[in-house]
Amino acid sequence: MGLLLKNGRLLNLETGELEAREILIEGDHIAEIAELVEESGHEVHDLNGGVILPGYIDMHVHLRQPGFEAKETIETGTKAAARGGYTTVACMPNTRPVIDTPERIRYVYDVTEKEGSCTVLPYGAITVGELGEELTDIIALREAGAVGITDDGVGVQSSAMMRRAMEVAACQDIPVVIHSEDEDLAKDGCMNEGVVSKRLGLPGIPGLAESVMIARDIMLAEETGAHLHVCHISDAGSVELVRWAKQRGLKVTTEVTPHHLLLTESIIDETDGGDANMKVNPPLRTEADRQACLQGLLDGTIDMIATDHAPHTEEEKKRSFATAPFGFTGIEFAFPLLYTELVEKGTIGLAELVKKFATNPAQVFRLPGGKVEQGGIADLTVVDLETEQAIDPNAFFSKGKNTPFVGKRVKGWSTLTINRGRVTYKTE
Ligand SMILES: NC(=O)N[C@@H](CC(=O)O)C(=O)O
Ligand SMILES: [Zn+2]
């Protein structure tokens, strides 16, 4: 018996048209896409005119397990992901202990197998304990199934260490995913360095702390031939560097978060630095930086959207701006938020946005999915583009309630998500 989706409209990613189609799913793959599929013997889901999209793929998520289960678990984080329309997430290794051995990579796969609501691809750390002192066994991490290597949460300070990591990664054909931050330049900072940080008397993190490291790593990627993927780009100079690297023909890709596309440091200014739910790393920057990120997304410099879903407890986020941890949750509402703010307002087309959420991450990281096609993996989500609903942390499956978008009314929520042929989320 298959799963038959009726009354849906499939987005054609080439033309941007919505086409009335029925989809038959058998096992974990799409068996048939047609105007009419023979009904007999299948479990039928009426989509009520919903729009069928490839399941989203988020290459930057913090699931916090093992070690920080008060913030999130693989179970809660992947349930949140499924509600957000995601079918694949790549999780960051800055857990406790750090995911820096093949056993710990396998642990993430094992827990996901039992408790997960989407495909989870763990990253392995570049350095042992993310301490920047000793290289991990990148070959063993790769063999255990690491999707990339990264010390996300901190930057790799030593250029020699990064060069060695890239040399091994290039041979192993595994992406090097960088949290670009020069610790000396960023030292003690808690928000973007500029007029607002000066007015509030808060220590700043300059855009340069990001861009100088990206410049370094582009040069190292050119030298070693590694695939360099730049995490959560936020600064205008950084976007310019990645554009230059791409023009040079280098294997350099990047992601941007919804918050860096939509918000600036002005929200911290308006609240006089009183709310740590606005604290994130890299920090919200200036309007010029935000515009550069948008431009980069539109011209293809920025390949994909990643949420950098970074849940923390409410107690932690109640601390002062200077002392609270960095990070926003976002996986549960990223698509509706950007659909409402960018597609409805005419900045980007629906098909283009979907490519940034699904097709491009699949292509860049060579993953299944990213498209809805006959014979392909049955990873998809159905969205309702009409019904407006507020972003409400009380309704989150995620343990993390820390988002500056609370109360915002948005459209484009998922009503049904299917991962490898299994229903992982469905509205009542
Ligand atoms: N983005 C953040 O503000 N925080 C992340 C770390 C990171 O992604 O750099 C976290 O782990 O909390
Ligand atoms: Zn990071």
Side-chain angles (χ1 to χ4, degrees):
M1 190 175 81
L3 209 77
L4 179 56
L5 309 182
K6 286 184 97 71
N7 270 325
R9 292 175 297 158
L10 179 62
L11 175 71
N12 182 322
L13 286 170
E14 259 98 71
T15 63
E17 299 291 314
L18 296 177
E19 300 164 345
R21 288 289 183 278
E22 297 191 352
I23 295 186
L24 178 65
I25 295 167
E26 279 175 343
D28 64 0
H29 70 282
I30 297 172
E32 193 179 342
I33 303 178
E35 278 171 47
L36 196 72
V37 177
E38 179 62 49
E39 239 182 71
S40 60
H42 302 304
E43 177 185 328
V44 177
H45 286 261
D46 186 339
L47 306 184
N48 293 314
V51 173
I52 305 163
L53 303 176
Y56 314 139
I57 300 173
D58 190 343
M59 294 309 296
H60 194 137
V61 169
H62 298 271
L63 294 178
R64 305 298 192 203
Q65 192 177 346
F68 298 111
E69 288 84 356
K71 299 173 194 270
E72 193 78 288
T73 63
I74 290 173
E75 183 181 0
T76 56
T78 59
K79 270 179 101 171
R83 178 170 179 239
Y86 288 88
T87 49
T88 298
V89 302
C91 66
M92 288 299 174
N94 62 338
T95 48
R96 191 176 59 202
V98 165
I99 299 169
D100 57 5
T101 64
E103 291 74 29
R104 291 173 191 157
I105 294 283
R106 284 193 286 271
Y107 167 83
V108 174
Y109 280 115
D110 288 347
V111 177
T112 302
E113 175 88 32
K114 291 188 211 106
E115 295 162 21
S117 294
C118 69
T119 303
V120 175
L121 305 170
Y123 285 108
I126 297 173
T127 67
V128 175
E130 291 201 2
L131 295 171
E133 287 159 8
E134 192 189 331
L135 218 55
T136 55
D137 186 345
I138 296 168
I139 300 173
L141 290 170
R142 171 70 165 158
E143 282 166 357
V147 68
I149 50 166
T150 180
D151 273 6
D152 185 55
V154 289
V156 174
Q157 302 304 299
S158 157
S159 308
M161 182 76 71
M162 187 54 105
R163 181 187 184 187
R164 283 210 303 283
M166 283 198 199
E167 281 166 355
V168 182
C171 291
Q172 290 298 306
D173 203 14
I174 184 170
V176 178
V177 174
I178 56 162
H179 169 112
S180 315
E181 183 172 358
D182 180 300
E183 278 170 12
D184 286 334
L185 286 171
K187 202 165 179 52
D188 300 326
C190 65
M191 67 172 295
N192 185 46
E193 180 185 289
V195 284
V196 179
S197 66
K198 296 218 165 70
R199 186 183 85 76
L200 296 175
L202 289 170
I205 303 171
L208 274 175
E210 175 178 294
S211 58
V212 296
M213 286 304 234
I214 296 176
R216 179 197 77 177
D217 289 346
I218 287 172
M219 301 319 286
L220 293 175
E222 175 156 25
E223 162 87 11
T224 58
H227 169 197
L228 176 70
H229 180 75
V230 177
C231 286
H232 43 47
I233 202 163
S234 70
D235 163 82
S238 303
V239 176
E240 198 48 48
L241 285 166
V242 172
R243 186 175 289 121
W244 176 81
K246 285 192 164 177
Q247 280 162 1
R248 215 169 156 76
L250 304 181
K251 238 191 285 173
V252 176
T253 55
T254 190
E255 63 188 35
V256 67
T257 68
H259 45 275
H260 290 110
L261 288 171
L262 300 179
L263 301 175
T264 68
E265 59 186 0
S266 71
I267 65 164
I268 302 166
D269 202 15
E270 283 156 21
T271 48
D272 290 327
D275 186 356
N277 282 319
M278 295 168 182
K279 178 174 177 178
V280 71
N281 195 20
L284 301 173
R285 299 198 191 270
T286 66
E287 179 60 16
D289 292 310
R290 187 182 81 86
Q291 289 296 339
C293 288
L294 264 178
Q295 188 50 46
L297 187 74
L298 296 176
D299 70 20
T301 301
I302 299 176
D303 303 84
M304 67 193 76
I305 310 279
T307 64
D308 189 9
H309 177 76
H312 292 291
T313 65
E314 282 171 272
E315 292 68 47
E316 289 169 308
K317 280 296 198 178
K318 274 189 200 130
R319 294 191 207 142
S320 72
F321 206 92
T323 59
F326 292 98
F328 295 165
T329 63
I331 200 154
E332 229 151 323
F333 53 83
F335 185 84
L337 180 63
L338 290 186
Y339 173 75
T340 306
E341 289 298 310
L342 299 183
V343 178
E344 284 217 310
K345 293 185 180 168
T347 306
I348 191 170
L350 176 60
E352 284 312 302
L353 186 68
V354 170
K355 287 178 193 162
K356 306 288 183 184
F357 267 83
T359 321
N360 295 358
Q363 197 215 333
V364 166
F365 285 87
R366 289 176 289 174
L367 307 174
K371 283 179 189 156
V372 178
E373 59 188 2
Q374 201 156 309
I377 199 89
D379 276 1
L380 53 88
T381 191
V382 179
V383 298
D384 168 359
L385 297 179
E386 272 83 52
T387 312
E388 202 175 77
Q389 202 183 307
I391 295 171
D392 173 13
N394 294 315
F396 288 176
F397 288 140
S398 171
K399 292 190 185 184
K401 314 296 178 193
N402 45 306
T403 165
F405 292 109
V406 176
K408 194 163 182 60
R409 299 189 62 82
V410 292
K411 295 176 188 174
W413 297 90
S414 282
T415 56
L416 175 70
T417 303
I418 294 177
N419 173 222
R420 308 283 147 107
R422 182 168 69 104
V423 175
T424 49
Y425 175 74
K426 191 176 176 19
T427 46
E428 297 308 308

